Amino acid sequence: MKRLLLTSFLVFISIILHAQDQKWSVEANYPFTLDDGTFSNNDGAIDLGIKYRFFRTDLVRLGLDLNGGFVYDKAGNNNEDTFKSKTYLFQPKLFAEFSVPFAPKWHPMVGVGYSVVSNNFSGSISGTDFSDRSGADGGFNFDIGISYDISSRFFLQLKYDMILLQVKDEVVFDNERINIDFRENIDRLKIGVGFRF
């Protein structure tokens, strides 16, 4: 069994290393929130993605980008606050990656898609209980960025990510039911590394 796994792994690696047209890439990013809204107090965050390029010319590559992220938030101003928030993001996008003839290692990129933001809350803030509350919202997603090739396979990237989030919810506060319906812009900067295969 070990030999089969080792052989399969070596075959997979050799296919990756000898592929001429690198249609796939994986990436890992650290996102920073640029405003004071959602995700501004994150104690932990990661963003992982995979891209598939299905169309190519000399100047542009078009493809699909699937990103997933996680943000952990532990907010509170005093010792009695026990609020915790876990947020999961799913961001499918269409993207365009450009080649710059006079700077072949630099690749500007732009993407559009839809983001789904799923929240799970627990604890309390100033006596208001948020125990076991969860929900999901969504909205239009736009990103623009640039990548720099370290080698033919590895790259660094910097991306600006904007989510136009539509929030709809209903909460009970002091035995009164409150409807929440608003739009929020979430502006994030992602810094990361990637591998093409």
Side-chain angles (χ1 to χ4, degrees):
M1 181 67 175
K2 289 181 184 180
R3 285 186 183 168
L4 177 64
L5 289 175
L6 180 61
T7 304
S8 299
F9 177 73
L10 291 175
V11 168
F12 177 72
I13 293 298
S14 66
I15 290 170
I16 287 174
L17 293 177
H18 291 12
Q20 296 298 316
D21 189 18
Q22 302 159 352
K23 292 186 175 188
W24 293 88
S25 65
V26 291
E27 58 189 48
N29 301 296
Y30 186 81
F32 297 93
T33 303
L34 301 176
D35 49 26
D36 291 333
T38 304
F39 312 140
S40 60
N41 295 324
N42 57 338
D43 292 324
I46 190 158
D47 180 84
L48 302 173
I50 186 166
K51 290 182 177 175
Y52 175 71
R53 294 156 184 84
F54 57 80
F55 179 78
R56 177 183 177 174
T57 68
D58 290 340
L59 295 177
V60 67
R61 287 183 175 190
L62 301 177
L64 295 173
D65 181 4
L66 297 175
N67 277 73
F70 174 75
V71 178
Y72 177 74
D73 186 8
K74 190 173 106 180
N77 295 326
N78 60 51
N79 292 335
E80 296 174 8
D81 293 340
T82 60
F83 178 79
K84 293 178 185 173
S85 168
K86 295 177 184 172
T87 304
Y88 302 92
L89 287 92
F90 179 65
Q91 299 176 290
K93 289 180 263 209
L94 288 173
F95 75 94
E97 183 178 64
F98 302 94
S99 297
V100 181
F102 57 87
K105 291 189 174 217
W106 293 94
H107 303 283
M109 60 188 124
V110 63
V112 293
Y114 190 83
S115 291
V116 177
V117 180
S118 176
N119 297 300
N120 187 347
F121 304 110
S122 65
S124 66
I125 297 178
S126 301
T128 303
D129 188 25
F130 291 92
S131 291
D132 299 322
R133 289 191 43 80
S134 63
D137 301 298
F140 175 77
N141 180 227
F142 170 78
D143 70 15
I144 188 168
I146 192 160
S147 67
Y148 176 77
D149 293 342
I150 298 171
S151 70
S152 63
R153 302 264 180 217
F154 290 96
F155 61 93
L156 299 174
Q157 69 179 4
L158 177 67
K159 290 164 91 173
Y160 167 73
D161 188 36
M162 179 182 66
I163 303 170
L164 303 174
L165 188 64
Q166 175 69 42
V167 178
K168 291 186 178 192
D169 199 0
E170 186 176 278
V171 296
V172 176
F173 184 73
D174 287 338
N175 294 325
E176 184 178 336
R177 200 171 290 280
I178 301 169
N179 288 320
I180 299 171
D181 187 1
F182 68 91
R183 291 181 186 262
E184 179 180 15
N185 290 352
I186 301 170
D187 300 309
R188 302 187 322 152
L189 189 65
K190 296 179 183 180
I191 298 173
V193 296
F195 176 74
R196 291 186 192 95
F197 59 96

